[in-house]
Amino acid sequence: MTPSPTDPFGAASERRVAALVGGDPHGLTAGTAAPRTPTPSSAPTRGATVTEDRWSAAFWDTHYATRPQLWSGDANAALVAEAADLPPGRALDVGCGEGGDAVWLAARGWRVDAVDVSPVALERARAAVARAGVTDAVTLTATDLRSDPPAAGVYDLVTAQFLHLPPDVRRPLYAVLADAVEPGGTLLLVLHHPRDLAAGIPRPPEPEMFPDEHELAGALDPDRWEVLVADARPRPVTLPDGSTVTGHDAVVRARRRA
């Protein structure tokens, strides 16, 4: 999920990210508290009310419906940095959104299974894939990986970008994603860093939703995984008042041992 090209790390994007993980699809109350587990909540949208948990198809469809395009269409920077030199194979793009990462991977020879809980997002991804001429290389599937996990040991690359979840959901799901990597393959996890909570960047006040690189890497069994990258990667962030601060992303790249 990449911000707009004219505002790559801007206030509007940061408010949207805060809204997505905070339970407010419009980003109007990004500083307010929100439920700490995926329990049902009511979110206003265009005069209607959607009652659903924050990680459901209904919630995300409602959010995507607020704008004709949420993200830039470009690949996420960490994916470009960490996967550019990987030999192409079969990739799983988790939470593919409007398809920017899937298109980037497919253009480099990858066969991509791109999944998202939102059918609305997938329709946009399908259009992006078609425009890029990589339809034959990308399979798009609407699914909730909490109840429909990927097959084990079949992917050369599993990438999950900004998939913020509460710990009781995140830990088992990330373990399943790790299991989906075949021996010799790569797991790439990227999340907004907990440092952002103290930097004045609009984020929901739910620190448990923001594991750092040490927690992410520490969850990987060292007998099965070689951690190649565990960074708090800095980037500029423009705040709502127009000022700029340094934000960070937690980036973990690991190779599954053969």
Side-chain angles (χ1 to χ4, degrees):
M1 295 186 292
T2 311
S4 70
T6 58
D7 184 26
F9 302 112
S13 172
E14 296 301 329
R15 285 195 297 271
R16 289 199 297 274
V17 171
L20 300 189
V21 295
D24 171 16
H26 298 295
L28 301 177
T29 57
T32 62
R36 296 179 181 270
T37 57
T39 53
S41 61
S42 294
T45 174
R46 296 187 175 182
T49 299
V50 173
T51 301
E52 187 50 272
D53 77 67
R54 290 180 282 161
W55 297 275
S56 68
F59 177 86
W60 281 94
D61 279 350
T62 298
H63 179 72
Y64 275 103
T66 62
R67 294 171 181 260
Q69 182 177 342
L70 292 185
W71 317 115
S72 70
D74 299 328
N76 281 294
L79 175 67
V80 173
E82 299 301 331
D85 295 333
L86 294 177
R90 187 178 179 190
L92 176 64
D93 179 9
V94 180
C96 67
E98 292 167 333
D101 286 357
V103 167
W104 185 87
L105 287 166
R108 282 151 184 78
W110 290 84
R111 293 171 292 113
V112 185
D113 290 339
V115 301
D116 200 285
V117 73
S118 169
V120 174
L122 285 170
E123 284 304 307
R124 298 179 188 179
R126 186 167 289 108
V129 166
R131 287 193 300 270
V134 293
T135 302
D136 291 345
V138 180
T139 300
L140 294 155
T141 305
T143 189
D144 187 334
L145 293 181
R146 294 176 297 175
S147 57
D148 186 18
V154 298
Y155 291 102
D156 301 288
L157 169 66
V158 172
T159 170
Q161 305 276 326
F162 306 109
L163 187 64
H164 287 270
L165 299 163
D168 59 338
V169 178
R170 181 181 66 246
R171 288 166 183 156
L173 178 57
Y174 276 27
V176 166
L177 297 183
D179 284 343
V181 180
E182 71 173 6
T186 296
L187 176 68
L188 178 60
L189 303 175
V190 182
L191 291 166
H192 293 295
H193 200 277
R195 291 184 188 179
D196 288 2
L197 297 172
I201 299 171
R203 299 279 186 255
E206 299 178 88
E208 69 273 18
M209 299 276 284
F210 298 89
D212 65 15
E213 68 278 13
H214 304 297
E215 180 178 343
L216 294 171
L220 298 173
D221 182 351
D223 291 335
R224 299 179 63 201
W225 292 94
E226 178 186 6
V227 176
L228 303 175
V229 174
D231 287 346
R233 191 161 296 174
R235 60 180 176 85
V237 176
T238 302
L239 299 179
D241 64 4
S243 63
T244 300
V245 299
T246 298
H248 292 81
D249 293 330
V251 179
V252 170
R253 174 184 168 192
R255 179 187 297 121
R256 185 166 178 177
R257 301 185 189 276

Short mmCIF file of all heavy atoms in Angstrom, two decimals, residues 135-193:
data_model
loop_
_atom_site.label_atom_id
_atom_site.label_comp_id
_atom_site.label_asym_id
_atom_site.label_seq_id
_atom_site.Cartn_x
_atom_site.Cartn_y
_atom_site.Cartn_z
N THR A 135 -1.11 -9.79 -16.93
CA THR A 135 -2.25 -10.59 -16.47
C THR A 135 -1.90 -12.06 -16.31
O THR A 135 -2.33 -12.71 -15.35
CB THR A 135 -3.43 -10.43 -17.44
OG1 THR A 135 -3.77 -9.03 -17.52
CG2 THR A 135 -4.64 -11.21 -16.96
N ASP A 136 -1.12 -12.58 -17.23
CA ASP A 136 -0.80 -14.01 -17.18
C ASP A 136 0.10 -14.37 -16.01
O ASP A 136 0.20 -15.55 -15.64
CB ASP A 136 -0.11 -14.44 -18.49
CG ASP A 136 -1.04 -14.43 -19.68
OD1 ASP A 136 -2.27 -14.38 -19.46
OD2 ASP A 136 -0.55 -14.44 -20.82
N ALA A 137 0.74 -13.38 -15.41
CA ALA A 137 1.70 -13.65 -14.33
C ALA A 137 1.12 -13.44 -12.95
O ALA A 137 1.77 -13.78 -11.96
CB ALA A 137 2.93 -12.77 -14.49
N VAL A 138 -0.09 -12.90 -12.85
CA VAL A 138 -0.65 -12.55 -11.54
C VAL A 138 -2.01 -13.22 -11.36
O VAL A 138 -2.90 -13.09 -12.20
CB VAL A 138 -0.82 -11.02 -11.38
CG1 VAL A 138 -1.41 -10.69 -10.01
CG2 VAL A 138 0.52 -10.31 -11.58
N THR A 139 -2.16 -13.94 -10.25
CA THR A 139 -3.44 -14.52 -9.85
C THR A 139 -3.96 -13.73 -8.66
O THR A 139 -3.28 -13.63 -7.63
CB THR A 139 -3.28 -16.00 -9.47
OG1 THR A 139 -2.78 -16.73 -10.58
CG2 THR A 139 -4.62 -16.58 -9.03
N LEU A 140 -5.14 -13.16 -8.81
CA LEU A 140 -5.73 -12.31 -7.77
C LEU A 140 -6.85 -13.07 -7.07
O LEU A 140 -7.74 -13.62 -7.72
CB LEU A 140 -6.28 -11.03 -8.39
CG LEU A 140 -5.21 -10.10 -8.97
CD1 LEU A 140 -5.80 -9.22 -10.06
CD2 LEU A 140 -4.60 -9.24 -7.88
N THR A 141 -6.80 -13.09 -5.74
CA THR A 141 -7.77 -13.85 -4.97
C THR A 141 -8.26 -13.04 -3.78
O THR A 141 -7.46 -12.51 -3.00
CB THR A 141 -7.16 -15.17 -4.45
OG1 THR A 141 -6.64 -15.92 -5.55
CG2 THR A 141 -8.21 -16.01 -3.73
N ALA A 142 -9.57 -12.95 -3.64
CA ALA A 142 -10.16 -12.33 -2.46
C ALA A 142 -10.27 -13.39 -1.37
O ALA A 142 -11.00 -14.38 -1.51
CB ALA A 142 -11.54 -11.76 -2.78
N THR A 143 -9.54 -13.20 -0.29
CA THR A 143 -9.57 -14.18 0.78
C THR A 143 -9.15 -13.54 2.10
O THR A 143 -8.43 -12.54 2.11
CB THR A 143 -8.63 -15.36 0.46
OG1 THR A 143 -8.83 -16.41 1.41
CG2 THR A 143 -7.17 -14.95 0.48
N ASP A 144 -9.61 -14.11 3.18
CA ASP A 144 -9.22 -13.71 4.53
C ASP A 144 -8.26 -14.77 5.04
O ASP A 144 -8.67 -15.89 5.36
CB ASP A 144 -10.46 -13.60 5.41
CG ASP A 144 -10.15 -13.01 6.79
OD1 ASP A 144 -8.99 -13.13 7.24
OD2 ASP A 144 -11.07 -12.46 7.41
N LEU A 145 -6.99 -14.44 5.11
CA LEU A 145 -5.98 -15.42 5.48
C LEU A 145 -6.09 -15.87 6.93
O LEU A 145 -5.48 -16.87 7.31
CB LEU A 145 -4.58 -14.86 5.23
CG LEU A 145 -4.22 -14.64 3.76
CD1 LEU A 145 -2.79 -14.10 3.65
CD2 LEU A 145 -4.36 -15.92 2.95
N ARG A 146 -6.89 -15.18 7.71
CA ARG A 146 -7.11 -15.64 9.09
C ARG A 146 -7.84 -16.97 9.10
O ARG A 146 -7.62 -17.81 9.98
CB ARG A 146 -7.93 -14.61 9.87
CG ARG A 146 -7.22 -13.28 10.08
CD ARG A 146 -8.13 -12.28 10.78
NE ARG A 146 -9.30 -11.93 9.98
CZ ARG A 146 -10.29 -11.15 10.40
NH1 ARG A 146 -10.24 -10.64 11.62
NH2 ARG A 146 -11.32 -10.87 9.62
N SER A 147 -8.71 -17.18 8.13
CA SER A 147 -9.47 -18.42 8.06
C SER A 147 -9.12 -19.28 6.86
O SER A 147 -9.53 -20.44 6.78
CB SER A 147 -10.98 -18.11 8.03
OG SER A 147 -11.29 -17.26 6.94
N ASP A 148 -8.34 -18.72 5.92
CA ASP A 148 -7.99 -19.44 4.70
C ASP A 148 -6.50 -19.27 4.43
O ASP A 148 -6.09 -18.52 3.54
CB ASP A 148 -8.82 -18.91 3.53
CG ASP A 148 -8.63 -19.71 2.26
OD1 ASP A 148 -8.14 -20.85 2.33
OD2 ASP A 148 -8.95 -19.17 1.17
N PRO A 149 -5.65 -19.94 5.21
CA PRO A 149 -4.21 -19.72 5.12
C PRO A 149 -3.63 -20.27 3.82
O PRO A 149 -4.21 -21.15 3.19
CB PRO A 149 -3.66 -20.48 6.33
CG PRO A 149 -4.67 -21.55 6.59
CD PRO A 149 -6.00 -20.93 6.26
N PRO A 150 -2.48 -19.74 3.40
CA PRO A 150 -1.83 -20.24 2.19
C PRO A 150 -1.22 -21.62 2.41
O PRO A 150 -0.98 -22.04 3.55
CB PRO A 150 -0.74 -19.20 1.92
CG PRO A 150 -0.42 -18.66 3.28
CD PRO A 150 -1.72 -18.65 4.04
N ALA A 151 -0.96 -22.30 1.32
CA ALA A 151 -0.31 -23.61 1.39
C ALA A 151 1.11 -23.46 1.94
O ALA A 151 1.77 -22.42 1.76
CB ALA A 151 -0.27 -24.24 0.01
N ALA A 152 1.58 -24.48 2.61
CA ALA A 152 2.91 -24.45 3.22
C ALA A 152 3.99 -24.81 2.21
O ALA A 152 3.80 -25.69 1.37
CB ALA A 152 2.97 -25.40 4.41
N GLY A 153 5.12 -24.10 2.32
CA GLY A 153 6.33 -24.49 1.61
C GLY A 153 6.28 -24.39 0.10
O GLY A 153 6.95 -25.18 -0.58
N VAL A 154 5.56 -23.39 -0.44
CA VAL A 154 5.42 -23.35 -1.90
C VAL A 154 5.92 -22.05 -2.53
O VAL A 154 6.01 -21.97 -3.77
CB VAL A 154 3.95 -23.57 -2.33
CG1 VAL A 154 3.46 -24.93 -1.88
CG2 VAL A 154 3.04 -22.48 -1.78
N TYR A 155 6.32 -21.05 -1.74
CA TYR A 155 6.66 -19.75 -2.32
C TYR A 155 8.15 -19.42 -2.17
O TYR A 155 8.75 -19.67 -1.13
CB TYR A 155 5.85 -18.64 -1.66
CG TYR A 155 4.38 -18.71 -2.01
CD1 TYR A 155 3.45 -19.23 -1.11
CD2 TYR A 155 3.93 -18.27 -3.25
CE1 TYR A 155 2.11 -19.30 -1.44
CE2 TYR A 155 2.58 -18.35 -3.60
CZ TYR A 155 1.69 -18.86 -2.69
OH TYR A 155 0.34 -18.94 -3.02
N ASP A 156 8.71 -18.85 -3.22
CA ASP A 156 10.08 -18.36 -3.17
C ASP A 156 10.16 -17.03 -2.43
O ASP A 156 11.22 -16.66 -1.93
CB ASP A 156 10.63 -18.18 -4.59
CG ASP A 156 10.61 -19.48 -5.37
OD1 ASP A 156 11.43 -20.37 -5.06
OD2 ASP A 156 9.76 -19.63 -6.27
N LEU A 157 9.05 -16.30 -2.42
CA LEU A 157 8.97 -15.03 -1.70
C LEU A 157 7.58 -14.86 -1.12
O LEU A 157 6.58 -15.03 -1.85
CB LEU A 157 9.27 -13.86 -2.64
CG LEU A 157 8.99 -12.44 -2.12
CD1 LEU A 157 9.93 -12.10 -0.96
CD2 LEU A 157 9.12 -11.41 -3.23
N VAL A 158 7.51 -14.55 0.15
CA VAL A 158 6.26 -14.11 0.78
C VAL A 158 6.51 -12.71 1.30
O VAL A 158 7.43 -12.48 2.09
CB VAL A 158 5.83 -15.05 1.92
CG1 VAL A 158 4.64 -14.45 2.68
CG2 VAL A 158 5.47 -16.43 1.38
N THR A 159 5.70 -11.76 0.84
CA THR A 159 5.86 -10.36 1.24
C THR A 159 4.55 -9.85 1.85
O THR A 159 3.48 -10.03 1.27
CB THR A 159 6.29 -9.48 0.06
OG1 THR A 159 6.22 -8.09 0.43
CG2 THR A 159 5.43 -9.70 -1.18
N ALA A 160 4.66 -9.23 3.01
CA ALA A 160 3.51 -8.62 3.69
C ALA A 160 3.92 -7.20 4.08
O ALA A 160 4.84 -7.02 4.89
CB ALA A 160 3.11 -9.42 4.92
N GLN A 161 3.27 -6.21 3.49
CA GLN A 161 3.62 -4.82 3.68
C GLN A 161 2.53 -4.10 4.49
O GLN A 161 1.39 -4.01 4.05
CB GLN A 161 3.78 -4.13 2.32
CG GLN A 161 4.77 -4.82 1.38
CD GLN A 161 6.20 -4.41 1.62
OE1 GLN A 161 6.47 -3.27 1.98
NE2 GLN A 161 7.13 -5.33 1.42
N PHE A 162 2.90 -3.64 5.67
CA PHE A 162 2.02 -2.83 6.52
C PHE A 162 0.73 -3.57 6.89
O PHE A 162 -0.35 -2.99 6.87
CB PHE A 162 1.73 -1.48 5.85
CG PHE A 162 2.99 -0.76 5.47
CD1 PHE A 162 3.37 -0.63 4.14
CD2 PHE A 162 3.82 -0.24 6.45
CE1 PHE A 162 4.55 0.01 3.80
CE2 PHE A 162 5.01 0.41 6.11
CZ PHE A 162 5.38 0.53 4.78
N LEU A 163 0.89 -4.83 7.21
CA LEU A 163 -0.23 -5.66 7.65
C LEU A 163 -0.29 -5.60 9.17
O LEU A 163 0.19 -6.48 9.88
CB LEU A 163 -0.05 -7.10 7.15
CG LEU A 163 -1.20 -8.08 7.38
CD1 LEU A 163 -2.44 -7.65 6.62
CD2 LEU A 163 -0.78 -9.49 6.97
N HIS A 164 -0.89 -4.53 9.69
CA HIS A 164 -0.95 -4.29 11.13
C HIS A 164 -2.14 -5.02 11.73
O HIS A 164 -3.28 -4.81 11.32
CB HIS A 164 -1.06 -2.80 11.41
CG HIS A 164 0.21 -2.05 11.15
ND1 HIS A 164 1.17 -1.86 12.12
CD2 HIS A 164 0.69 -1.48 10.02
CE1 HIS A 164 2.18 -1.19 11.61
NE2 HIS A 164 1.92 -0.95 10.33
N LEU A 165 -1.85 -5.84 12.73
CA LEU A 165 -2.87 -6.67 13.37
C LEU A 165 -2.57 -6.75 14.86
O LEU A 165 -1.41 -6.59 15.28
CB LEU A 165 -2.85 -8.09 12.78
CG LEU A 165 -3.15 -8.23 11.29
CD1 LEU A 165 -2.69 -9.59 10.79
CD2 LEU A 165 -4.63 -8.04 11.03
N PRO A 166 -3.57 -7.02 15.68
CA PRO A 166 -3.30 -7.22 17.11
C PRO A 166 -2.49 -8.49 17.32
O PRO A 166 -2.54 -9.40 16.49
CB PRO A 166 -4.70 -7.33 17.72
CG PRO A 166 -5.57 -7.77 16.60
CD PRO A 166 -5.00 -7.17 15.36
N PRO A 167 -1.72 -8.56 18.40
CA PRO A 167 -0.80 -9.68 18.58
C PRO A 167 -1.44 -11.06 18.49
O PRO A 167 -0.84 -11.99 17.94
CB PRO A 167 -0.20 -9.44 19.97
CG PRO A 167 -0.32 -7.97 20.17
CD PRO A 167 -1.59 -7.56 19.48
N ASP A 168 -2.66 -11.22 19.04
CA ASP A 168 -3.26 -12.54 19.05
C ASP A 168 -3.68 -12.99 17.65
O ASP A 168 -3.89 -14.18 17.41
CB ASP A 168 -4.46 -12.59 20.00
CG ASP A 168 -5.55 -11.60 19.65
OD1 ASP A 168 -5.25 -10.59 18.97
OD2 ASP A 168 -6.71 -11.81 20.07
N VAL A 169 -3.76 -12.05 16.72
CA VAL A 169 -4.02 -12.39 15.32
C VAL A 169 -2.71 -12.41 14.53
O VAL A 169 -2.46 -13.31 13.73
CB VAL A 169 -5.01 -11.39 14.68
CG1 VAL A 169 -5.23 -11.72 13.20
CG2 VAL A 169 -6.33 -11.40 15.43
N ARG A 170 -1.87 -11.41 14.78
CA ARG A 170 -0.63 -11.27 14.01
C ARG A 170 0.31 -12.45 14.18
O ARG A 170 0.85 -12.98 13.18
CB ARG A 170 0.09 -9.98 14.43
CG ARG A 170 1.39 -9.73 13.67
CD ARG A 170 2.07 -8.46 14.13
NE ARG A 170 2.55 -8.52 15.50
CZ ARG A 170 2.07 -7.77 16.50
NH1 ARG A 170 1.08 -6.93 16.29
NH2 ARG A 170 2.57 -7.89 17.72
N ARG A 171 0.53 -12.89 15.39
CA ARG A 171 1.55 -13.91 15.62
C ARG A 171 1.23 -15.22 14.92
O ARG A 171 2.08 -15.77 14.20
CB ARG A 171 1.76 -14.10 17.12
CG ARG A 171 2.48 -12.91 17.76
CD ARG A 171 2.40 -12.92 19.26
NE ARG A 171 3.04 -11.72 19.84
CZ ARG A 171 2.75 -11.23 21.02
NH1 ARG A 171 1.85 -11.82 21.79
NH2 ARG A 171 3.37 -10.14 21.46
N PRO A 172 0.01 -15.77 15.07
CA PRO A 172 -0.27 -17.00 14.33
C PRO A 172 -0.33 -16.80 12.82
O PRO A 172 0.10 -17.68 12.06
CB PRO A 172 -1.62 -17.47 14.89
CG PRO A 172 -2.22 -16.28 15.54
CD PRO A 172 -1.08 -15.44 16.01
N LEU A 173 -0.82 -15.64 12.37
CA LEU A 173 -0.88 -15.41 10.93
C LEU A 173 0.51 -15.27 10.33
O LEU A 173 0.81 -15.86 9.28
CB LEU A 173 -1.72 -14.16 10.62
CG LEU A 173 -1.82 -13.80 9.13
CD1 LEU A 173 -2.39 -14.96 8.32
CD2 LEU A 173 -2.66 -12.55 8.94
N TYR A 174 1.39 -14.52 11.01
CA TYR A 174 2.75 -14.39 10.49
C TYR A 174 3.49 -15.72 10.51
O TYR A 174 4.33 -15.99 9.65
CB TYR A 174 3.50 -13.33 11.30
CG TYR A 174 3.26 -11.91 10.84
CD1 TYR A 174 2.07 -11.55 10.21
CD2 TYR A 174 4.19 -10.91 11.04
CE1 TYR A 174 1.84 -10.26 9.79
CE2 TYR A 174 3.97 -9.60 10.62
CZ TYR A 174 2.78 -9.29 9.99
OH TYR A 174 2.55 -8.01 9.57
N ALA A 175 3.18 -16.57 11.48
CA ALA A 175 3.78 -17.91 11.49
C ALA A 175 3.32 -18.73 10.28
O ALA A 175 4.12 -19.45 9.67
CB ALA A 175 3.41 -18.64 12.78
N VAL A 176 2.06 -18.58 9.92
CA VAL A 176 1.54 -19.26 8.73
C VAL A 176 2.20 -18.72 7.46
O VAL A 176 2.55 -19.48 6.55
CB VAL A 176 0.01 -19.10 8.66
CG1 VAL A 176 -0.53 -19.51 7.29
CG2 VAL A 176 -0.66 -19.95 9.74
N LEU A 177 2.39 -17.40 7.40
CA LEU A 177 3.06 -16.82 6.24
C LEU A 177 4.50 -17.33 6.14
O LEU A 177 4.99 -17.62 5.04
CB LEU A 177 3.05 -15.29 6.34
CG LEU A 177 1.69 -14.61 6.34
CD1 LEU A 177 1.85 -13.09 6.36
CD2 LEU A 177 0.85 -15.05 5.14
N ALA A 178 5.18 -17.43 7.26
CA ALA A 178 6.54 -17.97 7.25
C ALA A 178 6.55 -19.41 6.76
O ALA A 178 7.42 -19.82 5.98
CB ALA A 178 7.16 -17.87 8.65
N ASP A 179 5.57 -20.20 7.18
CA ASP A 179 5.49 -21.59 6.75
C ASP A 179 5.24 -21.72 5.25
O ASP A 179 5.55 -22.75 4.65
CB ASP A 179 4.38 -22.32 7.50
CG ASP A 179 4.77 -22.67 8.93
OD1 ASP A 179 5.99 -22.65 9.24
OD2 ASP A 179 3.87 -22.94 9.75
N ALA A 180 4.68 -20.67 4.65
CA ALA A 180 4.38 -20.72 3.22
C ALA A 180 5.64 -20.58 2.36
O ALA A 180 5.60 -20.86 1.15
CB ALA A 180 3.38 -19.63 2.85
N VAL A 181 6.76 -20.16 2.96
CA VAL A 181 8.01 -20.00 2.22
C VAL A 181 8.68 -21.36 2.06
O VAL A 181 8.80 -22.13 3.02
CB VAL A 181 8.95 -19.03 2.96
CG1 VAL A 181 10.27 -18.87 2.20
CG2 VAL A 181 8.28 -17.68 3.16
N GLU A 182 9.12 -21.64 0.85
CA GLU A 182 9.82 -22.91 0.63
C GLU A 182 11.27 -22.79 1.09
O GLU A 182 11.80 -21.67 1.22
CB GLU A 182 9.77 -23.30 -0.84
CG GLU A 182 10.60 -22.47 -1.77
CD GLU A 182 10.62 -23.04 -3.17
OE1 GLU A 182 9.89 -24.01 -3.43
OE2 GLU A 182 11.39 -22.53 -4.00
N PRO A 183 11.94 -23.91 1.36
CA PRO A 183 13.35 -23.86 1.74
C PRO A 183 14.18 -23.08 0.71
O PRO A 183 14.04 -23.29 -0.49
CB PRO A 183 13.76 -25.34 1.80
CG PRO A 183 12.49 -26.04 2.16
CD PRO A 183 11.40 -25.29 1.43
N GLY A 184 15.01 -22.18 1.21
CA GLY A 184 15.78 -21.31 0.34
C GLY A 184 15.08 -20.04 -0.05
O GLY A 184 15.69 -19.14 -0.64
N GLY A 185 13.78 -19.91 0.27
CA GLY A 185 13.00 -18.75 -0.10
C GLY A 185 13.11 -17.63 0.91
O GLY A 185 13.76 -17.74 1.95
N THR A 186 12.42 -16.52 0.61
CA THR A 186 12.55 -15.27 1.37
C THR A 186 11.22 -14.86 1.97
O THR A 186 10.18 -14.93 1.31
CB THR A 186 13.05 -14.15 0.44
OG1 THR A 186 14.38 -14.48 -0.01
CG2 THR A 186 13.09 -12.81 1.17
N LEU A 187 11.28 -14.41 3.22
CA LEU A 187 10.15 -13.79 3.90
C LEU A 187 10.49 -12.32 4.10
O LEU A 187 11.56 -11.99 4.62
CB LEU A 187 9.91 -14.46 5.26
CG LEU A 187 8.82 -13.84 6.14
CD1 LEU A 187 7.44 -14.06 5.53
CD2 LEU A 187 8.88 -14.43 7.56
N LEU A 188 9.58 -11.43 3.67
CA LEU A 188 9.79 -9.99 3.83
C LEU A 188 8.59 -9.40 4.56
O LEU A 188 7.46 -9.45 4.08
CB LEU A 188 9.94 -9.32 2.46
CG LEU A 188 10.12 -7.80 2.47
CD1 LEU A 188 11.37 -7.39 3.24
CD2 LEU A 188 10.16 -7.26 1.04
N LEU A 189 8.86 -8.84 5.73
CA LEU A 189 7.83 -8.21 6.56
C LEU A 189 8.18 -6.74 6.75
O LEU A 189 9.32 -6.41 7.12
CB LEU A 189 7.75 -8.89 7.93
CG LEU A 189 7.49 -10.39 7.94
CD1 LEU A 189 7.57 -10.93 9.37
CD2 LEU A 189 6.13 -10.72 7.33
N VAL A 190 7.21 -5.86 6.50
CA VAL A 190 7.42 -4.43 6.65
C VAL A 190 6.22 -3.83 7.38
O VAL A 190 5.07 -4.04 6.97
CB VAL A 190 7.59 -3.73 5.28
CG1 VAL A 190 7.87 -2.24 5.48
CG2 VAL A 190 8.71 -4.38 4.47
N LEU A 191 6.50 -3.10 8.46
CA LEU A 191 5.45 -2.47 9.25
C LEU A 191 5.90 -1.08 9.68
O LEU A 191 7.10 -0.81 9.77
CB LEU A 191 5.16 -3.30 10.51
CG LEU A 191 4.49 -4.66 10.32
CD1 LEU A 191 4.59 -5.49 11.59
CD2 LEU A 191 3.04 -4.47 9.93
N HIS A 192 4.94 -0.20 9.94
CA HIS A 192 5.28 1.07 10.55
C HIS A 192 5.86 0.79 11.94
O HIS A 192 5.36 -0.04 12.69
CB HIS A 192 4.05 1.95 10.65
CG HIS A 192 3.54 2.39 9.32
ND1 HIS A 192 4.26 3.20 8.47
CD2 HIS A 192 2.37 2.11 8.67
CE1 HIS A 192 3.56 3.41 7.37
NE2 HIS A 192 2.42 2.75 7.47
N HIS A 193 6.92 1.49 12.27
CA HIS A 193 7.69 1.22 13.48
C HIS A 193 7.04 1.85 14.70
O HIS A 193 6.42 2.92 14.62
CB HIS A 193 9.10 1.78 13.30
CG HIS A 193 10.11 1.18 14.21
ND1 HIS A 193 10.29 1.60 15.51
CD2 HIS A 193 11.01 0.18 14.01
CE1 HIS A 193 11.25 0.88 16.07
NE2 HIS A 193 11.71 0.01 15.19
#
